[in-house]
Amino acid sequence: MSDIKEIDLGITADMHVHLRDGKMMELITPTVKEGGVSVAYIMPNLSPPITTIDRVIEYKQNLEKLSPETTFLMSFYLSQELTPELINEAAKKGAIKGVKCYPAGVTTNSSAGVDPNDFTVFYPIFEAMQANDLVLNIHGEKPPKKDSDDIHLLNAEPEFLPILAKLHQDFPNLKIILEHCTTKEAVEAIEKLNEGYKPNDKVTVAGTITAHHLSLTIDQWAGNPVNYCKPVAKLPIDRNHLVKAATSGKPYFFFGSDSAPHPIEGKARHTGVCAGIFTQKYALSYLAQIFEKANKLDKLKSYVSDFGLLFYNINEVKSQKKCYLVKDKFNVPNVLGNKEITVVPFKAGEELDWRVEWKD
Amino acid sequence: MSDIKEIDLGITADMHVHLRDGKMMELITPTVKEGGVSVAYIMPNLSPPITTIDRVIEYKQNLEKLSPETTFLMSFYLSQELTPELINEAAKKGAIKGVKCYPAGVTTNSSAGVDPNDFTVFYPIFEAMQANDLVLNIHGEKPPKKDSDDIHLLNAEPEFLPILAKLHQDFPNLKIILEHCTTKEAVEAIEKLNEGYKPNDKVTVAGTITAHHLSLTIDQWAGNPVNYCKPVAKLPIDRNHLVKAATSGKPYFFFGSDSAPHPIEGKARHTGVCAGIFTQKYALSYLAQIFEKANKLDKLKSYVSDFGLLFYNINEVKSQKKCYLVKDKFNVPNVLGNKEITVVPFKAGEELDWRVEWKD
């Protein structure tokens, strides 16, 4: 453990955030700031998914009312409802920073998703995105084929990687993120697509890694639905590669929490458990544990601030307050919530070493 | 699908059964017969575990009161409380047919289990068991080492297999069962230990396979705690090897359901889900689905009757009634139970094709 007592993280960014809507949105949105995050990239998988400029603007306004100092970056949900014209207009208005692609049926509210075996139908959209410097955020799991067991939870991400490589080949200037990497193979694919990278090169293909995938393996979610998410946490060798990538100081790996709250009723079920782990409120505290254990606290700021802001080309933020982590033990509460809604946070009841503080 | 409408299974045997105690025992014990099973080998992992002749006799009497026509074969729980003298006495009295070995901490009520890295402390017990033709039933998973992630849910069984081979080498005449095989590697290990087997040879090392492991893979228990058991169901390639082994007609693979009921409260939890799947009430119906799909219904009788009875050398049974499977669709109920206790059966709500009938 280090002797460092305080870490200046500057303007922090979490580039993969689920804030939901309704009562859950009201409960969770303030936790972005509480968890140490200035800039949050917001996922569009509401029900129905966000595919219009009006809805994305309205959603952003709702979030800003709940947390005025947070900078919300917004996204569309990739679907056949999108058109190149809509992409152009949304980009010009600054309504969105990117488009999220969910393969159909792989996670929460992804039934409206796409078939990644035939992305060419979306190539006109990708052209428009590339022209407008928008980001394509990919949930990189191949959906199972009907009546086949070729694809399963452990190989769905590795089997998706050739599709990622093809996309990058066909759109070399489109900014693509493989979201929430979970496997050794995903880390290696991102490394390979950035082969020959030199300092100050522009990154076009990056991977985000969550806080929970830096900690969990299959043994911790089996029998513990609170730790169940998609993509599932894999084996120790995968987790070790993710930690190495996150702490590497390479600008093509940066933070996206994929914090995904569900009411406890969606977790404490004997079937049909909701996939998603709520990490938002203690996001940077969880990360500090990992980086300190790896003796890489010096790489934390670039992971949670510089690399994400650079990739998304973020120059304006709503608050100039800086996030600090202070060495000060506390216990994660067993639940968050109110009379109407209860959420169990990641590592409920466990002790963490680093507390968030904001300074002007 | 076959044109067969009725299958005579004779005197059937389920060589791995958890009947618990108290209210659960009262609810579940009658389901052995309802599920089509004449002879049941009963696991000793009560709390505290069964390690004395008085307790095993009392437990058997309790079970017989609840199901007079079922033949209950009883077992001790391997622990340092056992002595060779106790084994000799229990065998002479016919109180037990075997001893169950649980590595410490791998499943329900296994905290009193043993360290499989040093079995030599039990060699005097194994000597006595071998001399008395008792069976050693092994839960074959290597427990994780403290502060190490070398062992995880997916490799715990494969990593145990060298220990099994060593035991067989040291006690070539001790009857050993690798219970509830779940991996390709386990199937291959049992095959290898039986290399050169010729019809009518005595089998000394066998594997049991459950009904649920012939059906499930990781995708079905992730997010569905009702399907969570230990060892966990693995990948499609493993499941396919298990089906091939079970339907092979080889006498060193036979049926042990590992039916392990828990109240629904132990399943619908956000942490600490109880490991175990309740299959007892429809055990043979589940199996018939699998064997029919594999076009191997002709191998079902040997799997659920002959091979187990032969291995355990069972000549006397309490009832001569025979079990038949009749092609007659029905739906598995969503729950079983009463005001005090509710259990969710495997494949709740699903349709099965084969119904049990008993004939004199």
Side-chain angles (χ1 to χ4, degrees):
Chain A
M1 296 295 105
S2 63
D3 291 332
I4 301 165
K5 298 286 172 229
E6 189 178 271
I7 310 169
D8 174 4
L9 296 177
I11 305 291
T12 50
D14 176 351
M15 292 309 192
H16 190 130
V17 168
H18 295 271
L19 294 179
R20 314 300 194 199
D21 51 12
K23 298 285 175 198
M24 184 63 93
M25 173 181 76
E26 290 170 22
L27 175 66
I28 295 305
T29 303
T31 68
V32 175
K33 188 179 167 200
E34 290 161 10
V37 166
S38 299
V39 178
Y41 184 84
I42 309 303
M43 291 294 141
N45 60 328
L46 303 186
S47 184
I50 294 181
T51 55
T52 68
I53 294 175
D54 285 352
R55 277 197 75 213
V56 82
I57 288 175
E58 185 197 357
Y59 188 32
K60 187 180 186 181
Q61 287 169 346
N62 290 339
L63 298 175
E64 285 176 337
K65 269 181 227 155
L66 291 164
S67 188
E69 291 188 321
T70 302
T71 302
F72 295 102
L73 312 177
M74 308 306 289
S75 63
F76 274 167
Y77 189 112
L78 183 64
S79 81
Q80 306 233 22
E81 293 171 41
L82 302 185
T83 62
E85 296 70 32
L86 179 62
I87 294 293
N88 289 334
E89 189 188 345
K92 279 194 185 69
K93 287 189 170 161
I96 60 167
K97 282 282 171 186
V99 177
K100 175 71 184 286
C101 166
Y102 288 97
V106 296
T107 192
T108 305
N109 292 346
S110 68
S111 56
V114 308
D115 177 1
N117 296 304
D118 187 16
F119 266 144
T120 56
V121 63
F122 295 106
Y123 274 22
I125 303 289
F126 298 158
E127 290 282 1
M129 290 173 61
Q130 187 171 253
N132 287 286
D133 201 32
L134 295 178
V135 173
L136 177 62
N137 310 94
I138 300 184
H139 181 120
E141 287 193 295
K142 211 165 171 182
K145 276 178 239 163
K146 205 168 177 292
D147 299 323
S148 161
D149 51 21
D150 289 355
I151 301 295
H152 50 73
L153 286 180
L154 296 193
N155 73 357
E157 184 176 272
E159 293 288 329
F160 185 88
L161 299 171
I163 301 173
L164 174 70
K166 175 77 164 63
L167 262 183
H168 177 54
Q169 189 181 12
D170 291 350
F171 296 92
N173 296 313
L174 175 62
K175 294 198 291 196
I176 305 176
I177 300 179
L178 182 67
E179 301 287 344
H180 44 56
C181 300
T182 63
T183 55
K184 172 177 177 287
E185 289 85 350
V187 167
E188 289 169 348
I190 297 297
E191 293 275 10
K192 186 148 192 279
L193 293 172
N194 284 284
E195 215 164 39
Y197 171 86
K198 288 184 291 296
N200 303 320
D201 282 1
K202 186 187 164 198
V203 174
T204 48
V205 185
T208 57
I209 305 173
T210 74
H212 52 276
H213 286 113
L214 295 173
S215 167
L216 298 174
T217 63
I218 184 173
D219 286 50
Q220 282 85 55
W221 62 260
N224 294 305
V226 72
N227 288 338
Y228 170 62
C229 62
K230 295 293 269 311
V232 298
K234 307 297 192 302
L235 299 181
I237 189 175
D238 297 297
R239 197 256 335 265
N240 297 347
H241 273 74
L242 296 171
V243 170
K244 211 173 155 190
T247 61
S248 66
K250 292 174 179 168
Y252 36 86
F253 293 111
F254 54 81
F255 183 49
S257 70
D258 193 17
S259 175
H262 289 283
I264 191 169
E265 297 80 10
K267 285 296 193 180
R269 305 175 61 161
H270 70 284
T271 60
V273 171
C274 297
I277 300 178
F278 175 66
T279 52
Q280 204 72 59
K281 186 159 179 170
Y282 308 101
L284 298 191
S285 301
Y286 299 130
L287 284 177
Q289 301 283 129
I290 302 289
F291 277 65
E292 183 168 34
K293 194 178 165 200
N295 203 21
K296 296 278 189 181
L297 275 177
D298 60 312
K299 304 292 189 196
L300 184 55
K301 180 172 182 295
S302 54
Y303 187 69
V304 301
S305 171
D306 310 332
F307 296 156
L309 296 175
L310 190 67
F311 185 88
Y312 275 87
N313 195 24
I314 304 302
N315 301 307
E316 284 177 44
V317 292
K318 295 195 75 177
S319 162
Q320 292 298 330
K321 282 186 187 165
K322 288 180 178 175
C323 173
Y324 285 73
L325 283 171
V326 181
K327 195 143 200 182
D328 184 14
K329 288 183 192 300
F330 69 99
N331 284 295
V332 178
N334 289 319
V335 293
L336 301 178
N338 49 46
K339 275 183 193 168
E340 292 174 293
I341 199 161
T342 301
V343 175
V344 179
F346 185 50
K347 292 190 181 287
E350 292 185 33
E351 188 180 74
L352 300 179
D353 294 331
W354 295 88
R355 190 174 47 75
V356 162
E357 252 184 42
W358 290 95
K359 298 191 189 180
D360 285 318
Chain B
M1 294 297 104
S2 62
D3 292 331
I4 301 165
K5 297 288 173 224
E6 188 178 271
I7 310 168
D8 174 4
L9 296 177
I11 305 291
T12 51
D14 176 351
M15 292 311 192
H16 190 130
V17 168
H18 295 271
L19 294 178
R20 312 304 194 197
D21 51 11
K23 298 286 177 198
M24 184 65 92
M25 172 182 76
E26 289 170 23
L27 175 66
I28 295 305
T29 303
T31 69
V32 175
K33 189 179 166 200
E34 289 161 12
V37 167
S38 299
V39 177
Y41 185 84
I42 308 303
M43 291 294 143
N45 62 330
L46 303 185
S47 184
I50 294 181
T51 54
T52 68
I53 294 175
D54 285 352
R55 277 197 76 214
V56 82
I57 288 174
E58 186 198 357
Y59 188 32
K60 187 180 187 182
Q61 286 168 347
N62 290 338
L63 299 176
E64 286 176 336
K65 268 181 228 156
L66 291 163
S67 188
E69 290 188 322
T70 301
T71 302
F72 295 102
L73 311 178
M74 307 306 289
S75 63
F76 275 166
Y77 189 110
L78 183 63
S79 82
Q80 306 233 21
E81 291 172 41
L82 302 185
T83 61
E85 295 70 32
L86 178 62
I87 294 293
N88 289 334
E89 190 187 344
K92 279 198 184 67
K93 287 188 170 162
I96 61 168
K97 280 284 172 185
V99 177
K100 175 72 184 285
C101 165
Y102 287 97
V106 295
T107 193
T108 305
N109 293 345
S110 67
S111 56
V114 307
D115 177 0
N117 296 304
D118 187 15
F119 265 145
T120 55
V121 62
F122 296 106
Y123 273 22
I125 304 290
F126 297 159
E127 290 283 2
M129 289 172 62
Q130 186 171 254
N132 288 285
D133 201 32
L134 295 177
V135 173
L136 176 63
N137 311 93
I138 300 184
H139 181 120
E141 288 193 294
K142 212 166 168 180
K145 276 180 237 160
K146 205 168 177 293
D147 299 323
S148 161
D149 51 22
D150 290 355
I151 300 296
H152 50 72
L153 286 180
L154 296 192
N155 72 358
E157 185 176 272
E159 293 287 329
F160 185 87
L161 298 171
I163 301 173
L164 174 70
K166 175 75 162 65
L167 262 183
H168 177 54
Q169 188 181 15
D170 291 350
F171 294 92
N173 296 313
L174 176 63
K175 293 198 291 195
I176 305 177
I177 300 179
L178 183 66
E179 300 288 344
H180 43 58
C181 299
T182 63
T183 56
K184 173 176 176 286
E185 289 85 349
V187 167
E188 290 169 347
I190 297 296
E191 293 275 10
K192 186 147 193 280
L193 293 172
N194 284 284
E195 215 164 39
Y197 172 85
K198 287 184 292 294
N200 303 320
D201 281 1
K202 187 188 164 197
V203 174
T204 47
V205 185
T208 57
I209 306 174
T210 74
H212 52 277
H213 286 112
L214 294 174
S215 168
L216 298 174
T217 64
I218 183 172
D219 286 51
Q220 282 85 53
W221 62 259
N224 294 305
V226 71
N227 288 339
Y228 170 61
C229 62
K230 296 292 269 312
V232 298
K234 308 295 193 302
L235 300 180
I237 189 175
D238 297 298
R239 198 255 337 262
N240 297 348
H241 273 74
L242 296 172
V243 170
K244 212 173 154 191
T247 60
S248 67
K250 292 174 180 168
Y252 37 86
F253 293 111
F254 54 82
F255 184 49
S257 70
D258 193 18
S259 174
H262 290 282
I264 190 169
E265 296 81 10
K267 285 295 190 178
R269 305 176 61 160
H270 69 283
T271 60
V273 171
C274 297
I277 299 178
F278 175 64
T279 53
Q280 204 73 60
K281 186 159 178 169
Y282 308 102
L284 298 191
S285 301
Y286 300 130
L287 285 178
Q289 300 283 128
I290 303 289
F291 277 66
E292 184 169 33
K293 193 177 166 202
N295 203 21
K296 296 279 189 182
L297 276 177
D298 60 312
K299 304 291 188 198
L300 184 55
K301 179 173 183 291
S302 54
Y303 187 68
V304 300
S305 170
D306 309 333
F307 296 156
L309 297 175
L310 190 67
F311 185 89
Y312 276 87
N313 196 23
I314 305 302
N315 300 309
E316 283 177 46
V317 292
K318 294 195 74 179
S319 161
Q320 292 298 330
K321 283 186 186 163
K322 288 179 178 177
C323 174
Y324 285 73
L325 283 172
V326 181
K327 196 145 200 182
D328 184 14
K329 288 182 192 301
F330 69 99
N331 284 294
V332 177
N334 289 318
V335 293
L336 300 178
N338 49 45
K339 277 184 192 167
E340 292 174 292
I341 199 161
T342 301
V343 175
V344 179
F346 185 51
K347 293 188 180 288
E350 292 184 34
E351 188 180 76
L352 299 180
D353 294 331
W354 295 88
R355 189 175 48 74
V356 163
E357 253 184 41
W358 290 96
K359 297 190 188 181
D360 285 318

